[in-house]
Amino acid sequence: MKNDLPSRRTARGLSQGDLGEAVGVTRQTINAIERRRYNPSLELAFTLASYFDCQIEDIFHY
Amino acid sequence: MNSTIAVQESRRRSLWAGLWLLGAVALGGLTALNRPLVGVSLYTVMAIAAIMMWRGYSGTLFDERDASIHRRASGYTLGIFAIVSAIAFPLLTALYGLGLFTWGTWTTASAFIAAGTFTIYAVVTLVLSHRH
């Protein structure tokens, strides 16, 4: 599943660790999502969308 | 979280695994060296240290991705165990029937462990299927 998490994250000047801490996951998980090696749970996808103040489909593209 | 904390997170994850590994090696190794109580003591100390380190960490040490990895690893492990059991135990039973094999302590224990494991799996599957 494609996503534009890296661009949204860097636009806010956040490291992967920063974003992980903000949404309650590890830096490795953010890294894995950005590299499309891991699809987040629906709960985490909602948390990320809420954090970036957008819809899930704005971040994740199937 | 800055990069220093990210490194700390990574080190703590390694420490978690290392403490459990050391505990297991101490338990097995010292038991083999006829020092079982020392082995159990060291294992207990390592286990408590690992749990305290995990509980004392303010950040996220393990998350949903770790749970997902463990689910997949458990599935693969149980699958391999199932395939080996499905081939090995009927074969050993056939050999036993032909008088070419005798069930010893280890093979009998292995058969009971396999039967017990899959009985637990069946019960857990049944319970979960009723809940979902």
Side-chain angles (χ1 to χ4, degrees), chain A residues 15 17-18 20-21 24-29 32 37-41 44, chain B residues 1-3 5-7 9-10 13 60-66 68 71:
Chain A
S15 68
D18 293 327
E21 186 183 34
V25 297
T26 62
R27 182 197 60 78
Q28 288 98 324
T29 295
R37 286 171 44 219
Y38 173 68
N39 290 328
S41 67
L44 178 54
Chain B
M1 184 190 286
N2 59 35
S3 60
I5 298 177
V7 169
E9 173 190 291
S10 179
R13 287 165 65 93
T60 304
L61 209 54
F62 302 104
D63 61 16
E64 63 170 54
R65 181 170 154 268
D66 296 296
S68 169
R71 275 196 299 273

Side-chain angles (χ1 to χ4, degrees), chain B residues 17-76:
Chain B
L19 283 169
W20 282 109
L21 182 65
L22 275 176
V25 169
L27 181 63
L30 289 165
T31 301
L33 294 171
N34 208 24
R35 294 283 185 275
L37 293 181
V38 181
V40 171
S41 301
L42 278 175
Y43 173 81
T44 305
V45 168
M46 298 292 179
I48 291 171
I51 292 167
M52 285 179 69
M53 185 274 297
W54 171 50
R55 300 279 300 201
Y57 184 58
S58 59
T60 304
L61 209 54
F62 302 104
D63 61 16
E64 63 170 54
R65 181 170 154 268
D66 296 296
S68 169
I69 290 167
H70 285 304
R71 275 196 299 273
R72 290 183 67 188
S74 301
Y76 287 134

